[in-house]
Amino acid sequence: MNKFTKYILGILVICFVSFFQAKAQTVYSVPLKEDIGPNAWRTMKNAIKQAKLNKSEYLLIDLNTFGGALNFADSIRSSLLNENQFKTIVYVNNNAASAGALISLAADYIYMHSGSSLGAASVVNQNGEILPEKYQSYMRGLMRATAEAKGRDPKIAEAFVDPAISVPELKEDGKLLTLTASEAVKVGIAKKEIKSEVDIFSDLNIEKPQIQEHQTTWVDHLIGWLINPLVSGLLIMGIIGGIYFELQSPGIGFALLVALVCGALFFAPLYLQGLADNWEIAIFVLGVILLVLEIFVIPGFGVAGIAGIILVLCGLAFSMVANDYFDFKLTQPGLLMNSFIIVIGAMILTIVLMVIFGKNILQSPTFKRLVLEDEQKATEGYTSSVAKPNLINKVGITKTVLRPGGKIEIDNVWYDAVALDSYIDVGEEIYVEKHENYNLFVRKLSEKKA
């Protein structure tokens, strides 16, 4: 063989090896080791978005969860089923129960660590009690459809939810199905039982994996902290307390600023997590407007005030729970009641604290430093709201509703007045019983003693 022939053969060998040599493939890895809820859903959304930006060939989910909220699990499931830019891998690294089983079935490949388990997906409440058939029926449908979409046995998936499904070789009748790693491989649910992620890459012929780990930011941690029920309750107290102090001391601004900041910190994280929607924020704002109108403008029995309280309650409570315009079928049972308990409890505690400490706070030196107090001198044109000091026993008429404060007219002059009877309707005849601190205190003339 001459030199030229050897040279040609060498080039062909190099080309052949280069052609079949596995190229480096990008694997985007994200851990999911918590209850499936708003934080998990946010993590998965960000991971999927980042995997696309990086043009990854695979998305690897390192999964270990006992379950969680069905609505967020369904959102993750749908995202995985609809993904066509990369292959999805779930690595069951200990447990994939309930919502975790649903997410696993939506992946292209399932690998299970030796000793791990998958299944037991009945819908339960927060106390672990099995919920009625309508919840189980919906979950069975989700599991069955997800398994079918990925070419897995729908009967096995349904047996995770329904103890009545008979799979004698895997479970007793009347028991929910939970698969070990070897059982899941045997029935075709999982691809392989493994010891580590390295085995996944070997099985999929990924010889040069470039693994990119998903990183959570400080914003993610802050949002997770703000949607904690305890923090949400404190923010609700800040909203209600700020509104209360603003109404007690109109124009000071600081109390309103506190209410606005607490409102933003309450609603913004919930909105970003997909819990709060525009209409829920809108009914909260409408409720506040109705309460303000009831206090300052609208006379009557208080229909606007009652409606305002209801709207504020519903706006806050509904924002804490995922729903589709009052459709709560995918929401974890008990969460809606818990959100109402948090909101009502925070409101009651705020009212109690306002009654006990409200007056002292308003008069405290610290609070007064936050209030703009310009001196209103007579030389600059300011006068007292009560021009004549001797109005005791004078008779007049109410020009607005006194609830208990409002306006009255005596001798064609309007004055600020406070009803000692708590409530006096507009147009009622009144008399002045006493005069303190530029305020007239009045009663109905019909109640004046002879």
Side-chain angles (χ1 to χ4, degrees):
M1 185 182 294
N2 58 36
K3 291 183 178 180
F4 179 76
T5 305
K6 291 180 180 180
Y7 179 75
I8 295 299
L9 287 175
I11 293 176
L12 290 175
V13 169
I14 292 172
C15 292
F16 182 84
V17 172
S18 300
F19 180 81
F20 287 100
Q21 185 177 21
K23 69 173 183 177
Q25 293 178 286
T26 303
V27 179
Y28 195 86
S29 178
V30 53
L32 197 59
K33 298 185 178 183
E34 59 183 304
D35 286 346
I36 306 303
N39 283 335
W41 170 223
R42 178 178 173 81
T43 297
M44 286 305 305
K45 280 194 297 184
N46 291 339
I48 291 172
K49 179 181 178 181
Q50 197 60 47
K52 289 179 179 178
L53 291 175
N54 294 346
K55 297 181 179 179
S56 301
E57 283 85 5
Y58 294 93
L59 174 67
L60 172 62
I61 303 170
D62 188 352
L63 182 66
N64 182 18
T65 181
F66 287 103
L70 178 56
N71 55 317
F72 292 107
D74 183 53
S75 296
I76 296 172
R77 174 197 82 104
S78 299
S79 296
L80 297 180
L81 287 178
N82 295 330
E83 189 51 58
N84 54 21
Q85 294 189 26
F86 46 73
K87 294 294 184 179
T88 55
I89 306 167
V90 163
Y91 173 29
V92 180
N93 194 1
N94 203 14
N95 289 298
S98 192
L102 179 62
I103 294 170
S104 299
L105 290 176
D108 294 311
Y109 307 107
I110 300 175
Y111 290 89
M112 297 182 66
H113 192 274
S114 298
S116 61
S117 61
L118 183 151
S122 282
V123 185
V124 299
N125 61 19
Q126 291 181 318
N127 296 322
E129 300 166 341
I130 301 293
L131 288 171
E133 169 60 21
K134 66 176 183 178
Y135 295 99
Q136 311 307 328
S137 176
Y138 187 82
M139 185 63 169
R140 283 198 301 270
L142 280 179
M143 298 291 284
R144 188 169 57 248
T146 307
E148 288 177 348
K150 292 298 181 179
R152 299 186 175 99
D153 188 344
K155 182 180 179 182
I156 297 295
E158 196 170 356
F160 290 151
V161 183
D162 191 348
I165 301 296
S166 179
V167 192
E169 66 276 14
L170 295 173
K171 73 176 185 72
E172 298 179 17
D173 288 344
K175 302 289 185 180
L176 290 176
L177 176 61
T178 299
L179 297 175
T180 65
S182 59
E183 289 172 339
V185 173
K186 182 179 179 181
V187 297
I189 294 295
K191 194 171 189 297
K192 193 173 183 180
E193 181 179 357
I194 60 175
K195 295 292 185 180
S196 68
E197 290 183 356
V198 175
D199 296 332
I200 297 176
F201 306 140
S202 175
D203 188 62
L204 293 176
N205 296 319
I206 306 174
E207 295 184 12
K208 294 183 178 180
Q210 292 184 348
I211 303 173
Q212 296 179 338
E213 299 284 347
H214 180 74
Q215 301 294 328
T216 55
T217 65
W218 67 268
V219 175
D220 298 318
H221 293 297
L222 177 62
I223 290 174
W225 181 75
L226 287 174
I227 64 173
N228 181 284
L230 177 59
V231 177
S232 295
L234 293 175
L235 291 174
I236 292 170
M237 292 178 63
I239 295 170
I240 303 303
I243 294 173
Y244 169 83
F245 282 123
E246 181 65 22
L247 295 178
Q248 290 295 309
S249 304
I252 66 171
F254 176 74
L256 179 61
L257 178 62
V258 170
L260 291 175
V261 170
C262 289
L265 292 176
F266 176 82
F267 283 109
L270 296 173
Y271 188 85
L272 291 173
Q273 294 285 57
L275 292 172
D277 206 345
N278 293 329
W279 67 272
E280 293 163 332
I281 299 174
I283 65 173
F284 168 78
V285 174
L286 179 59
V288 173
I289 292 173
L290 288 176
L291 286 173
V292 173
L293 291 176
E294 172 68 21
I295 293 172
F296 293 108
V297 179
I298 303 174
F301 181 69
V303 174
I306 294 172
I309 292 173
I310 293 174
L311 289 176
V312 167
L313 281 171
C314 291
L316 292 170
F318 290 161
S319 295
M320 298 172 69
V321 180
N323 68 93
D324 185 13
Y325 293 100
F326 304 106
D327 183 0
F328 297 93
K329 68 182 179 182
L330 287 178
T331 300
Q332 187 174 359
L335 286 183
L336 181 60
M337 180 61 69
N338 286 350
S339 67
F340 270 105
I341 291 173
I342 291 171
V343 174
I344 295 172
M347 285 186 170
I348 293 174
L349 182 57
T350 303
I351 293 171
V352 171
L353 293 176
M354 293 304 101
V355 171
I356 297 174
F357 302 109
K359 186 176 180 180
N360 292 332
I361 293 174
L362 287 171
Q363 295 178 353
S364 67
T366 302
F367 190 83
K368 286 183 177 180
R369 282 198 294 269
L370 300 171
V371 179
L372 181 61
E373 292 182 327
D374 290 333
E375 187 178 357
Q376 298 177 338
K377 300 178 180 179
T379 56
E380 297 175 355
Y382 293 101
T383 60
S384 168
S385 60
V386 179
K388 297 180 179 180
N390 188 19
L391 293 172
I392 305 300
N393 290 323
K394 283 280 189 176
V395 176
I397 188 169
T398 56
K399 303 303 290 186
T400 67
V401 174
L402 304 187
R403 196 190 303 111
K407 299 288 186 179
I408 64 170
E409 181 182 341
I410 299 176
D411 296 334
N412 297 320
V413 179
W414 284 37
Y415 300 97
D416 292 322
V418 177
L420 292 170
D421 303 302
S422 296
Y423 178 88
I424 302 177
D425 207 349
V426 64
E428 294 276 356
E429 285 191 308
I430 48 84
Y431 75 96
V432 180
E433 184 170 302
K434 61 180 180 177
H435 170 205
E436 294 178 358
N437 299 328
Y438 306 113
N439 279 323
L440 300 179
F441 292 83
V442 303
R443 293 188 189 275
K444 292 182 182 180
L445 184 62
S446 59
E447 298 180 2
K448 185 175 183 180
K449 296 180 180 178

